[in-house]
Amino acid sequence: SAWSSYSVCSKTCGGGVQSRTRTCSEGSGGGATCASLGLTQTLQTRTCNTGTCPVPVDCSCTSWSGYSTCSKSCGGGTQSRTRTCIEGTNGGATCAQRGLTQTSQSR
């Protein structure tokens, strides 16, 4: 029979494998055999998605800024500070996984 379509690649990057199959039914009544027709191969494989996988990058945050000026000159004001966080990419740790969810603080 004809070859089947290739399977889905086993990996999305870094070199996976695809396979396809076919069947060969022996002829009857003295017909040619599969071997005599060179049809003994029933499985083919090939490499796929051989490109390099992107490097995982974990979430990272800048250092905290300095605290702002107090909101009151007397009587219990507040000060705040901030930082910027960039989420992980390519399968790296997220900010939540690293416990880096806070981007502002007050005191």
Side-chain angles (χ1 to χ4, degrees):
S1 67
W3 287 103
S4 66
S5 298
Y6 276 100
S7 63
V8 173
C9 192
S10 62
K11 293 184 179 181
T12 57
C13 60
V17 178
Q18 290 177 297
S19 61
R20 67 179 183 171
T21 59
R22 70 176 175 189
T23 57
C24 182
S25 301
E26 294 291 345
S28 59
T33 65
C34 293
S36 69
L37 296 172
L39 300 175
T40 57
Q41 186 180 18
T42 57
L43 174 68
Q44 281 185 338
T45 60
R46 68 181 182 188
T47 57
C48 51
N49 295 338
T50 57
T52 304
C53 294
V55 176
V57 177
D58 293 342
C59 164
S60 61
C61 298
T62 61
S63 298
W64 287 103
S65 67
Y67 277 100
S68 65
T69 303
C70 190
S71 62
K72 294 183 180 179
S73 58
C74 63
T78 59
Q79 292 177 295
S80 62
R81 66 181 185 167
T82 60
R83 67 179 176 183
T84 301
C85 296
I86 300 171
E87 275 297 345
T89 58
N90 302 326
T94 66
C95 293
Q97 289 169 331
R98 296 194 64 212
L100 300 173
T101 56
Q102 192 174 14
T103 56
S104 64
Q105 290 181 332
S106 297
R107 65 176 183 186

